[in-house]
Amino acid sequence: MRFTPEQYNEYLKKRGQKVGKSKGKKQKYNNQGNWYDGIYFRSQLELRRYCQLKILMNTGEISGFIIQPRFILQIGDENNKAITYSGDFLILNNDGTYIVEDTKGYENQQWQRTYKMFKLKYPNVELKILKNEDV
């Protein structure tokens, strides 16, 4: 399914996310987002990995992949929102196993806390961090 930038912005609004960037505002880690196949990728690294995964899927090396899988790290209640984590990709291997991948140019302290929470909640799920040199 392909989205236009306007359709994607409408999708983000429905999910309660901010749409667009204010003029002149720099990205936090100097990453540049791009549209490709009707999907907005937050970084060049994420886009490169997407292209690699498409090739792997088309050649039959993997069964498929999901973009932006969401995991609940801590359940919320009426007073507190749930804490969630969205990886960049969930890769479905031919043998029925799966791997969560996250592309990172920089690992900050918040990411380290999120990683620890993820491993506590999902100890049997492999969470792989990909950096520029890996992709």
Side-chain angles (χ1 to χ4, degrees):
M1 177 181 228
R2 293 177 186 242
F3 292 102
T4 65
E6 295 79 24
Q7 289 172 319
Y8 185 71
N9 285 339
E10 188 60 35
Y11 165 75
L12 289 177
K13 284 180 191 175
K14 289 179 182 174
R15 288 187 61 194
Q17 296 181 7
K18 292 181 183 175
V19 175
K21 298 185 274 187
S22 62
K23 293 181 181 175
K25 186 177 178 185
K26 236 176 145 179
Q27 292 272 5
K28 188 173 182 178
Y29 297 109
N30 293 323
N31 56 326
Q32 291 183 322
N34 274 322
W35 286 92
Y36 185 78
D37 278 354
I39 304 165
Y40 183 75
F41 295 93
R42 293 171 289 183
S43 70
Q44 294 290 320
L45 182 61
E46 188 178 346
L47 173 57
R48 265 197 324 255
R49 185 59 180 155
Y50 170 78
C51 292
Q52 290 173 345
L53 291 173
K54 279 183 64 172
I55 291 169
L56 291 173
M57 187 175 78
N58 289 333
T59 59
E61 292 185 47
I62 61 172
S63 296
F65 62 95
I66 299 169
I67 301 170
Q68 297 287 316
R70 180 169 270 168
F71 298 89
I72 297 173
L73 301 179
Q74 184 175 340
I75 297 174
D77 57 24
E78 62 275 351
N79 298 322
N80 298 299
K81 249 173 95 171
I83 298 172
T84 61
Y85 161 69
S86 291
D88 290 332
F89 303 102
L90 175 73
I91 300 167
L92 310 167
N93 296 312
N94 291 331
D95 63 1
T97 62
Y98 55 92
I99 300 170
V100 177
E101 286 187 347
D102 209 325
T103 56
K104 293 275 180 217
Y106 174 75
E107 291 181 30
N108 60 19
Q109 287 184 336
Q110 176 61 43
W111 164 248
Q112 292 168 359
R113 285 189 294 273
T114 302
Y115 181 82
K116 286 179 185 177
M117 289 179 73
F118 182 89
K119 292 312 287 179
L120 283 171
K121 179 81 176 185
Y122 303 98
N124 298 326
V125 177
E126 183 180 351
L127 177 54
K128 194 172 176 184
I129 311 307
L130 299 175
K131 298 194 176 192
N132 275 320
E133 57 272 7
D134 299 328
V135 177

